Amino acid sequence: EDKVVQSPLSLVVHEGDTVTLNCSYEVTNFRSLLWYKQEKKAPTFLFMLTSSGIEKKSGRLSSILDKKELSSILNITATQTGDSAIYLCAVEANDKIIFGKGTRLHILP
Amino acid sequence: ETGVTQTPRHLVMGMTNKKSLKCEQHLGHNAMYWYKQSAKKPLELMFVYSLEERVENNSVPSRFSPECPNSSHLFLHLHTLQPEDSALYLCASSQDLRINYGYTFGSGTRLTVV
Protein backbone atom coordinates (compact mmCIF):
# COMPACT_ATOMS: atom_id res chain seq x y z
CA GLU A 1 0.00 0.00 0.00
CA ASP A 2 1.39 3.38 -1.02
CA LYS A 3 1.84 5.79 1.85
CA VAL A 4 3.35 9.14 2.76
CA VAL A 5 4.26 9.94 6.34
CA GLN A 6 5.11 13.39 7.62
CA SER A 7 6.75 14.33 10.88
CA PRO A 8 6.32 16.00 13.18
CA LEU A 9 2.55 16.32 13.03
CA SER A 10 2.75 19.68 14.74
CA LEU A 11 5.51 22.06 15.70
CA VAL A 12 5.62 25.31 17.65
CA VAL A 13 8.74 27.49 17.45
CA HIS A 14 9.70 31.10 18.03
CA GLU A 15 10.13 33.64 15.29
CA GLY A 16 13.66 33.52 13.91
CA ASP A 17 14.14 29.80 14.54
CA THR A 18 14.98 27.34 11.77
CA VAL A 19 12.68 24.37 11.27
CA THR A 20 13.03 21.10 9.37
CA LEU A 21 9.95 19.19 8.28
CA ASN A 22 10.22 15.58 7.24
CA CYS A 23 8.42 13.48 4.67
CA SER A 24 8.99 9.79 4.01
CA TYR A 25 7.25 7.61 1.50
CA GLU A 26 6.68 4.03 0.45
CA VAL A 27 5.34 3.87 -3.08
CA THR A 28 5.90 1.95 -6.27
CA ASN A 29 6.71 3.75 -9.51
CA PHE A 30 7.70 7.03 -7.89
CA ARG A 31 7.40 10.05 -10.19
CA SER A 32 7.78 13.16 -8.04
CA LEU A 33 7.42 14.60 -4.56
CA LEU A 34 5.59 17.86 -3.95
CA TRP A 35 5.48 20.25 -1.03
CA TYR A 36 2.50 22.55 -0.42
CA LYS A 37 1.78 25.27 2.12
CA GLN A 38 -1.81 25.44 3.26
CA GLU A 39 -3.14 28.61 4.86
CA LYS A 40 -6.48 28.95 3.15
CA LYS A 41 -8.49 26.20 1.51
CA ALA A 42 -6.31 25.73 -1.55
CA PRO A 43 -2.75 24.59 -0.82
CA THR A 44 -0.02 26.79 -2.26
CA PHE A 45 2.55 24.96 -4.33
CA LEU A 46 6.11 25.21 -3.01
CA PHE A 47 8.36 22.65 -4.69
CA MET A 48 8.35 19.67 -7.00
CA LEU A 49 11.28 17.28 -6.59
CA THR A 50 12.13 14.52 -9.00
CA SER A 51 15.90 14.12 -8.75
CA SER A 52 17.76 12.99 -5.70
CA GLY A 53 20.31 15.30 -4.08
CA ILE A 54 19.38 18.50 -5.88
CA GLU A 55 18.28 21.22 -3.50
CA LYS A 56 15.48 23.53 -4.52
CA LYS A 57 15.37 26.97 -2.94
CA SER A 58 12.85 29.75 -2.75
CA GLY A 59 13.78 32.56 -0.39
CA ARG A 60 14.00 31.16 3.13
CA LEU A 61 12.55 27.81 2.07
CA SER A 62 14.51 24.94 0.66
CA SER A 63 13.88 21.28 0.04
CA ILE A 64 15.83 18.23 -1.02
CA LEU A 65 14.90 14.69 -2.04
CA ASP A 66 16.77 11.54 -1.02
CA LYS A 67 15.56 8.68 -3.20
CA LYS A 68 17.83 6.21 -1.44
CA GLU A 69 16.25 7.01 1.91
CA LEU A 70 12.80 7.52 0.33
CA SER A 71 12.44 10.85 2.04
CA SER A 72 12.49 14.60 1.69
CA ILE A 73 13.00 17.51 4.03
CA LEU A 74 11.64 21.04 3.90
CA ASN A 75 13.75 23.65 5.67
CA ILE A 76 12.56 27.09 6.68
CA THR A 77 15.19 29.48 8.02
CA ALA A 78 14.60 32.69 10.02
CA THR A 79 10.94 31.79 10.47
CA GLN A 80 8.29 34.50 10.53
CA THR A 81 4.74 34.47 11.86
CA GLY A 82 3.54 34.36 8.26
CA ASP A 83 5.10 30.92 7.94
CA SER A 84 2.43 29.52 10.27
CA ALA A 85 0.50 27.02 8.19
CA ILE A 86 0.03 23.35 7.46
CA TYR A 87 2.78 21.99 5.22
CA LEU A 88 1.67 19.12 3.03
CA CYS A 89 3.90 16.58 1.36
CA ALA A 90 2.52 14.59 -1.57
CA VAL A 91 4.00 11.92 -3.82
CA GLU A 92 2.98 11.22 -7.40
CA ALA A 93 3.10 7.50 -8.09
CA ASN A 94 1.09 4.98 -10.06
CA ASP A 95 -0.92 7.72 -11.74
CA LYS A 96 -2.22 9.12 -8.47
CA ILE A 97 -1.17 11.51 -5.74
CA ILE A 98 -0.79 10.39 -2.16
CA PHE A 99 -0.84 13.10 0.46
CA GLY A 100 0.66 13.00 3.91
CA LYS A 101 -1.37 14.27 6.84
CA GLY A 102 0.65 17.46 7.01
CA THR A 103 2.78 19.20 9.60
CA ARG A 104 1.02 22.00 11.46
CA LEU A 105 3.61 24.72 12.05
CA HIS A 106 2.95 27.58 14.43
CA ILE A 107 5.41 30.44 14.75
CA LEU A 108 5.26 32.42 17.99
CA PRO A 109 6.10 36.13 17.75
CA GLU B 1 -6.31 4.16 2.94
CA THR B 2 -6.69 7.75 4.04
CA GLY B 3 -10.36 7.50 4.95
CA VAL B 4 -11.37 9.41 1.85
CA THR B 5 -12.26 7.06 -1.02
CA GLN B 6 -12.67 8.17 -4.60
CA THR B 7 -14.14 6.15 -7.45
CA PRO B 8 -13.44 5.41 -10.16
CA ARG B 9 -9.63 5.58 -10.06
CA HIS B 10 -9.48 6.10 -13.83
CA LEU B 11 -12.06 7.39 -16.28
CA VAL B 12 -11.92 7.90 -20.01
CA MET B 13 -14.88 9.71 -21.52
CA GLY B 14 -15.89 11.26 -24.79
CA MET B 15 -16.85 14.89 -25.06
CA THR B 16 -20.55 14.06 -25.38
CA ASN B 17 -20.67 11.64 -22.44
CA LYS B 18 -22.13 12.19 -18.99
CA LYS B 19 -20.30 10.64 -16.06
CA SER B 20 -19.94 11.16 -12.32
CA LEU B 21 -17.06 11.05 -9.90
CA LYS B 22 -17.75 9.85 -6.38
CA CYS B 23 -16.07 10.70 -3.10
CA GLU B 24 -16.87 9.07 0.22
CA GLN B 25 -15.52 9.73 3.70
CA HIS B 26 -16.39 8.13 7.01
CA LEU B 27 -14.19 10.32 9.16
CA GLY B 28 -17.06 12.30 10.59
CA HIS B 29 -15.89 15.39 8.74
CA ASN B 30 -18.33 18.19 7.95
CA ALA B 31 -16.54 19.85 5.03
CA MET B 32 -15.71 18.35 1.65
CA TYR B 33 -13.84 19.75 -1.33
CA TRP B 34 -13.21 19.09 -5.00
CA TYR B 35 -9.79 20.00 -6.42
CA LYS B 36 -8.35 19.78 -9.93
CA GLN B 37 -4.72 18.84 -10.42
CA SER B 38 -3.57 19.47 -13.99
CA ALA B 39 -0.19 18.37 -15.27
CA LYS B 40 2.62 20.53 -13.89
CA LYS B 41 0.17 22.94 -12.24
CA PRO B 42 -0.64 23.46 -8.59
CA LEU B 43 -3.89 22.31 -7.11
CA GLU B 44 -6.97 24.33 -8.07
CA LEU B 45 -9.92 24.48 -5.68
CA MET B 46 -13.22 23.88 -7.49
CA PHE B 47 -15.99 23.49 -4.91
CA VAL B 48 -16.40 23.59 -1.15
CA TYR B 49 -19.27 22.07 0.81
CA SER B 50 -19.92 22.52 4.51
CA LEU B 51 -22.69 20.55 6.18
CA GLU B 52 -23.99 19.63 2.73
CA GLU B 53 -24.30 23.24 1.59
CA ARG B 54 -22.12 24.66 -1.13
CA VAL B 55 -20.12 27.54 0.33
CA GLU B 56 -17.69 28.23 -2.48
CA ASN B 57 -17.58 27.85 -6.23
CA ASN B 58 -14.38 29.12 -7.78
CA SER B 59 -15.62 30.14 -11.23
CA VAL B 60 -15.87 26.56 -12.41
CA PRO B 61 -17.58 25.99 -15.80
CA SER B 62 -21.14 24.71 -15.60
CA ARG B 63 -20.13 21.46 -17.31
CA PHE B 64 -18.93 20.49 -13.80
CA SER B 65 -21.83 20.06 -11.40
CA PRO B 66 -21.25 19.05 -7.76
CA GLU B 67 -23.71 17.31 -5.51
CA CYS B 68 -23.47 16.66 -1.78
CA PRO B 69 -26.42 14.50 -0.67
CA ASN B 70 -25.06 14.03 2.86
CA SER B 71 -21.95 14.85 4.84
CA SER B 72 -20.25 11.57 3.85
CA HIS B 73 -20.68 11.72 0.09
CA LEU B 74 -19.71 14.16 -2.61
CA PHE B 75 -20.22 13.78 -6.34
CA LEU B 76 -18.91 15.65 -9.34
CA HIS B 77 -21.20 15.26 -12.34
CA LEU B 78 -19.51 15.76 -15.69
CA HIS B 79 -21.10 16.52 -19.06
CA THR B 80 -19.88 17.79 -22.41
CA LEU B 81 -16.31 18.09 -21.17
CA GLN B 82 -13.39 19.37 -23.21
CA PRO B 83 -9.99 17.70 -23.71
CA GLU B 84 -8.40 20.40 -21.52
CA ASP B 85 -10.51 19.10 -18.63
CA SER B 86 -8.33 16.01 -18.54
CA ALA B 87 -6.66 16.05 -15.12
CA LEU B 88 -6.51 14.39 -11.74
CA TYR B 89 -9.58 15.27 -9.68
CA LEU B 90 -9.00 15.15 -5.96
CA CYS B 91 -11.53 15.05 -3.18
CA ALA B 92 -10.65 16.17 0.34
CA SER B 93 -12.43 16.50 3.64
CA SER B 94 -11.84 18.32 6.88
CA GLN B 95 -13.50 18.44 10.28
CA ASP B 96 -14.93 21.82 9.40
CA LEU B 97 -13.93 24.87 7.40
CA ARG B 98 -11.39 26.11 9.89
CA ILE B 99 -7.85 25.51 8.66
CA ASN B 100 -6.61 24.35 12.05
CA TYR B 101 -8.03 20.90 11.52
CA GLY B 102 -6.15 20.11 8.32
CA TYR B 103 -7.24 18.13 5.34
CA THR B 104 -7.49 14.49 4.37
CA PHE B 105 -7.17 13.86 0.64
CA GLY B 106 -8.38 10.97 -1.46
CA SER B 107 -6.08 9.45 -4.07
CA GLY B 108 -7.89 11.06 -6.96
CA THR B 109 -9.66 10.10 -10.17
CA ARG B 110 -7.53 10.34 -13.30
CA LEU B 111 -9.87 11.72 -15.98
CA THR B 112 -9.07 11.65 -19.68
CA VAL B 113 -11.41 13.39 -22.10
CA VAL B 114 -11.12 12.20 -25.69
Side-chain angles (χ1 to χ4, degrees):
Chain A
E1 183 188 343
D2 295 334
K3 64 179 180 181
V4 174
V5 178
Q6 291 185 246
S7 63
L9 287 181
S10 65
L11 186 58
V12 181
V13 300
H14 287 280
E15 208 168 17
D17 288 350
T18 293
V19 297
T20 299
L21 310 184
N22 301 285
C23 177
S24 63
Y25 58 91
E26 289 179 30
V27 301
T28 52
N29 302 317
F30 172 90
R31 285 188 61 187
S32 67
L33 185 144
L34 306 105
W35 283 100
Y36 288 89
K37 177 183 180 183
Q38 185 153 32
E39 296 171 279
K40 307 290 182 186
K41 296 180 203 66
T44 304
F45 174 78
L46 295 175
F47 300 109
M48 175 185 277
L49 304 161
T50 55
S51 300
S52 202
I54 298 174
E55 186 183 51
K56 293 218 172 175
K57 261 181 98 67
S58 176
R60 295 177 292 103
L61 277 67
S62 64
S63 183
I64 195 162
L65 176 67
D66 187 337
K67 283 188 178 179
K68 191 175 175 185
E69 296 296 325
L70 305 182
S71 64
S72 173
I73 59 170
L74 175 68
N75 276 325
I76 308 175
T77 59
T79 52
Q80 301 169 0
T81 54
D83 295 325
S84 296
I86 293 175
Y87 290 83
L88 291 167
C89 173
V91 172
E92 283 189 286
N94 296 316
D95 211 25
K96 64 183 180 183
I97 292 182
I98 308 106
F99 280 84
K101 292 188 183 300
T103 293
R104 191 172 300 126
L105 176 64
H106 186 62
I107 310 297
L108 297 170
Chain B
E1 289 297 329
T2 64
V4 177
T5 304
Q6 289 187 242
T7 53
R9 285 271 314 279
H10 300 271
L11 179 62
V12 179
M13 59 186 287
M15 289 191 281
T16 57
N17 291 158
K18 287 185 182 181
K19 296 284 184 185
S20 296
L21 309 185
K22 181 181 176 183
C23 176
E24 188 173 352
Q25 59 91 7
H26 296 289
L27 301 169
H29 288 173
N30 292 318
M32 296 186 78
Y33 312 81
W34 277 117
Y35 286 91
K36 178 181 178 182
Q37 170 85 64
S38 303
K40 299 181 182 177
K41 282 184 170 181
L43 278 174
E44 300 169 53
L45 179 64
M46 298 176 73
F47 300 103
V48 181
Y49 275 82
S50 177
L51 296 171
E52 301 142 48
E53 285 193 22
R54 190 191 307 183
V55 297
E56 191 162 329
N57 172 4
N58 280 358
S59 302
V60 179
S62 59
R63 56 186 185 268
F64 295 92
S65 173
E67 179 191 1
C68 188
N70 56 62
S71 59
S72 299
H73 294 86
L74 184 65
F75 294 90
L76 188 63
H77 303 300
L78 317 170
H79 65 97
T80 58
L81 293 192
Q82 306 297 312
E84 59 264 29
D85 296 321
S86 298
L88 184 70
Y89 288 84
L90 286 160
C91 174
S93 70
S94 64
Q95 184 64 47
D96 58 31
L97 290 179
R98 290 175 292 170
I99 189 60
N100 288 338
Y101 286 92
Y103 282 46
T104 303
F105 282 87
S107 296
T109 294
R110 174 68 65 185
L111 174 67
T112 304
V113 181
V114 297

